[in-house]
Amino acid sequence: MIKKSLTLIISICILLPVFGLVYWSFTSRLPWPNLISGHLDISAWNALLLQPSHWKSLLTSVLVSSLTVILVHFLVLPICIAVLIYKIKVPNLYWIVILMPLIIPSISLSIGLHLLFLKLGWQGGLLPIVLAHTITSLPYAFRILHSTCLLLGTAMGEQSSVLGASLIQTLFFVYLPNLKKPIILSTLLVFIVSFSQYLLTFLIGGGLIKTLPLALFPIIQSGSRSEAAAASLFFVLGAAFFMWLIEKTIHRQYKDGVTLWYL
Amino acid sequence: MLPSRRINALLFAPFALLFVVPTLSALILILIEATANQLSMTYVLREICNDNFWVSFRFSLYIAFVATLLCSVFGFLIALLLLKIPETSGLHRLLGWPILFPHFAVAFMVFLLFSQSGLISRFIAYFWQLPDPSDFPAMVFDQTGLGIILTYVWKEVPFAALMFYSHLLVLKKKYFNLSQLFCRSEAQFAYRVLIPLSKPMAASVFTLLFAYNFGAFEVPLLLGPTSPRTLSVLGFIQYQSADLTARPSAMAINLIITGFSCLILIAYMRALDALKAMGDTP
């Protein structure tokens, strides 16, 4: 009984703000003491969805986040191989640097990267943004994949070499299939971290590359309530849709569900 | 298989080149910009002597501490609840939702609910008495930073709960049968076994969230009062200011933020070491 009611209370605490968001996105011009407007107003959604620039920035965001996911795994997977096959320990100095983006506030890291890219003359392109997103989201992927590699151990790989498999075969038929679940997990996580990055994109992109948070932040900051509510929901639904899509595409032959929810 | 040095270097090269080098050089650049010459050094000193700076510093520290404490405690309690209910109950899934919401959207949700003309004040006015919206206590844009704290709580309690839950699940598997011999009740099991053995995990969750809450920028920008500002907002405004003389003090503020975070980083690494010593993977 107590368990049931506690579950209910927690669920309400999570759902109530979301409900408020949905409610306001369909309500406009509701003077203060009124709670119920009585009719559905879709003007905020209309204004939002009919704006082609929002759809464009959604696509830009997906492009940036996808490239980030690819680059992150391109950097992290070789290290997993080194850990698995060559039993290399990740040096301590690397560990410190890996934990830095998690701990050092995004404001300092963003300004530092901005200065760096200014010095290098990379201002406003797509690739600097992808690199910057990679730096902030790599630690998440690294920790998931590295800890799985340690758990996986080398026993299975040694077994396959005893049976005569080459290194490449061991890699593709033993290690990578076992890493599939954590790779899906880290893909989803890197995607969402990159997808909701505001400050970093704002500074590095110099406002030229408009990702979705960049397009919607001004609406939330100064638009009307219903517009801002619709914008927030648009973002969340976009993120949820693409994460669902990623999960479905990577996961086709995979029966038992891995989901980000259990991270 | 002995690692050949060349293969080793090859596997680490992209990572070192595209992650380690830029991260370190970004931080070193802040250090250089803030301390390059005597003039910029005076700005660092001036910031340190500045009352405004310390007010912001205290405000950031206060928000981060309160929010993180609430998140850790509630997260742990919810994780204990999660242990007791079946995974099919839906709560596990529901706790994943806040990951999808970016901080600025959560901040706006808090604004919709808790502002003086928000849904809760309307609700009270509808069912009871509330003559004017200004009679509802100011919970956003206020000096106590309540709106900011509520935002962090909504977003991070589920995160903390899921972190603790995965840890507690391992502990339960390891020790539950043994505890049947020694503990009289499940409450005793929680108190004697789960809580003491969760300390390293708690330290790691606490430092991680604290570091985030201390330096986060979007939420205090949207929901914070104009004075005092949090340190991150102050640093950003100075950096973006059209007045070029504000730039050195922006660099000074960021240097101090970074230095302070390095202290948190040390604490975090010690927490991770303690976790590793327990046999939990980092």
Side-chain angles (χ1 to χ4, degrees):
Chain A
M1 193 59 212
I2 297 173
K3 274 184 269 174
K4 279 253 169 68
S5 43
L6 277 177
T7 309
L8 193 69
I9 292 171
I10 295 166
S11 309
I12 289 174
C13 286
I14 295 177
L15 288 175
L16 190 68
V18 182
F19 167 76
L21 206 59
V22 176
Y23 182 73
W24 265 111
S25 77
F26 289 109
T27 312
S28 63
R29 280 195 297 281
L30 191 61
W32 173 66
N34 302 338
L35 191 60
I36 298 153
S37 71
H39 67 280
L40 217 61
D41 191 328
I42 53 165
S43 59
W45 280 104
N46 253 339
L48 188 81
L49 297 179
L50 290 180
Q51 178 82 263
S53 69
H54 291 329
W55 293 100
K56 209 183 135 202
S57 44
L58 179 65
L59 288 183
T60 315
S61 255
V62 171
L63 180 67
V64 167
S65 302
S66 311
L67 288 176
T68 305
V69 166
I70 292 169
L71 186 57
V72 164
H73 287 89
F74 174 70
L75 301 186
V76 172
L77 284 177
I79 296 185
C80 291
I81 294 168
V83 169
L84 278 173
I85 296 182
Y86 298 107
K87 295 173 200 139
I88 292 164
K89 268 189 71 182
V90 178
N92 264 340
L93 173 74
Y94 280 11
W95 265 118
I96 297 173
V97 183
I98 287 162
L99 297 178
M100 271 179 171
L102 290 177
I103 300 291
I104 290 177
S106 65
I107 172 87
S108 299
L109 197 65
S110 306
I111 287 180
L113 285 172
H114 187 215
L115 290 172
L116 177 69
F117 289 169
L118 278 180
K119 287 236 153 57
L120 294 172
W122 297 350
Q123 180 65 337
L126 196 65
L127 288 181
I129 293 181
V130 171
L131 185 58
H133 281 199
T134 300
I135 286 168
T136 47
S137 53
L138 184 136
Y140 300 94
F142 191 90
R143 291 189 56 187
I144 292 173
L145 292 174
H146 181 256
S147 59
T148 339
C149 286
L150 289 184
L151 277 180
L152 202 58
T154 50
M156 240 191 295
E158 277 160 11
Q159 182 63 44
S160 83
S161 1
V162 167
L163 292 173
S166 70
L167 257 184
I168 305 289
Q169 281 173 324
T170 310
L171 188 63
F172 279 97
F173 295 113
V174 179
Y175 287 131
L176 284 182
N178 273 303
L179 282 176
K180 199 166 176 182
K181 260 188 187 188
I183 288 177
I184 297 173
L185 202 64
S186 68
T187 299
L188 292 175
L189 198 62
V190 168
F191 188 85
I192 190 71
V193 169
S194 158
F195 204 74
S196 39
Q197 209 59 249
Y198 168 72
L199 179 66
L200 196 59
T201 326
F202 177 72
L203 276 179
I204 308 279
L208 291 175
I209 304 253
K210 267 212 183 324
T211 57
L212 199 56
L214 240 65
L216 300 182
F217 197 80
I219 301 180
I220 288 172
Q221 212 170 11
S222 53
S224 77
R225 281 187 188 197
S226 48
E227 277 171 359
S232 305
L233 275 176
F234 183 64
F235 183 93
V236 173
L237 292 176
F241 172 73
F242 281 100
M243 286 174 74
W244 173 81
L245 202 66
I246 292 172
E247 222 185 305
K248 279 279 163 293
T249 358
I250 316 186
H251 211 243
R252 237 174 306 165
Q253 324 88 312
Y254 223 56
K255 282 280 153 51
D256 47 346
V258 237
T259 41
L260 180 72
W261 327 121
Y262 292 105
L263 179 73
Chain B
M1 233 169 299
L2 278 176
S4 98
R5 266 178 175 279
R6 213 186 295 153
I7 290 179
N8 184 357
L10 206 67
L11 290 175
F12 272 82
F15 173 76
L17 197 68
L18 290 177
F19 177 76
V20 177
V21 172
T23 310
L24 281 181
S25 40
L27 296 176
I28 290 169
L29 268 176
I30 289 184
L31 183 71
I32 292 175
E33 286 265 325
T35 58
N37 49 44
Q38 248 178 345
L39 191 66
S40 45
M41 272 307 275
T42 55
Y43 276 98
V44 176
L45 291 175
R46 194 189 288 173
E47 277 309 325
I48 292 174
C49 302
N50 191 342
D51 272 346
N52 220 346
F53 170 81
W54 285 108
V55 170
S56 288
F57 187 77
R58 269 204 298 275
F59 189 53
S60 295
L61 216 55
Y62 148 77
I63 285 179
F65 185 75
V66 174
T68 311
L69 197 65
L70 289 174
C71 290
S72 312
V73 171
F74 281 122
F76 189 77
L77 293 178
I78 292 177
L80 284 178
L81 176 70
L82 287 179
L83 273 187
K84 299 287 297 172
I85 58 177
E87 287 211 350
T88 47
S89 72
L91 187 61
H92 296 71
R93 254 188 118 75
L94 196 62
L95 284 171
W97 277 33
I99 294 175
L100 279 176
F101 287 76
H103 272 90
F104 60 82
V106 182
F108 182 67
M109 277 152 60
V110 167
F111 170 77
L112 282 184
L113 278 184
F114 291 99
S115 68
Q116 285 184 321
S117 57
L119 284 177
I120 288 181
S121 108
R122 282 164 199 253
F123 194 76
I124 292 172
Y126 194 81
F127 287 103
W128 295 282
Q129 279 292 306
L130 198 67
D132 196 72
S134 61
D135 292 331
F136 190 73
M139 294 173 80
V140 294
F141 313 120
D142 60 326
Q143 304 276 319
T144 54
L146 205 61
I148 306 173
I149 292 171
L150 282 170
T151 308
Y152 290 150
V153 166
W154 192 84
K155 175 100 173 133
E156 286 157 13
V157 164
F159 170 78
L162 292 178
M163 294 277 280
F164 278 125
Y165 174 63
S166 62
H167 185 70
L168 290 182
L169 212 57
V170 175
L171 288 182
K172 194 181 170 186
K173 250 185 213 151
K174 260 192 195 162
Y175 297 111
F176 189 67
N177 287 335
L178 188 65
S179 78
Q180 301 271 313
L181 284 176
F182 299 110
C183 297
R184 253 171 287 140
S185 63
E186 289 195 24
Q188 212 178 21
F189 174 61
Y191 184 71
R192 289 264 170 91
V193 180
L194 293 184
I195 292 179
L197 287 178
S198 295
K199 272 181 195 157
M201 192 63 187
S204 120
V205 169
F206 189 91
T207 37
L208 195 64
L209 292 182
F210 185 85
Y212 186 84
N213 294 341
F214 179 75
F217 159 77
E218 290 145 43
V219 181
L221 183 75
L222 288 170
L223 292 185
T226 33
S227 133
R229 287 194 164 110
T230 64
L231 214 52
S232 48
V233 176
L234 196 68
F236 180 75
I237 288 173
Q238 303 265 34
Y239 186 70
Q240 282 286 299
S241 160
D243 179 11
L244 277 179
T245 53
R247 183 102 172 214
S249 58
M251 297 324 294
I253 291 173
N254 276 297
L255 182 69
I256 296 167
I257 295 179
T258 311
F260 186 71
S261 320
C262 285
L263 293 180
I264 305 177
L265 182 66
I266 294 169
Y268 185 53
M269 293 196 68
R270 292 192 58 165
L272 286 185
D273 282 343
L275 264 183
K276 218 188 277 176
M278 279 182 66
D280 204 338
T281 48

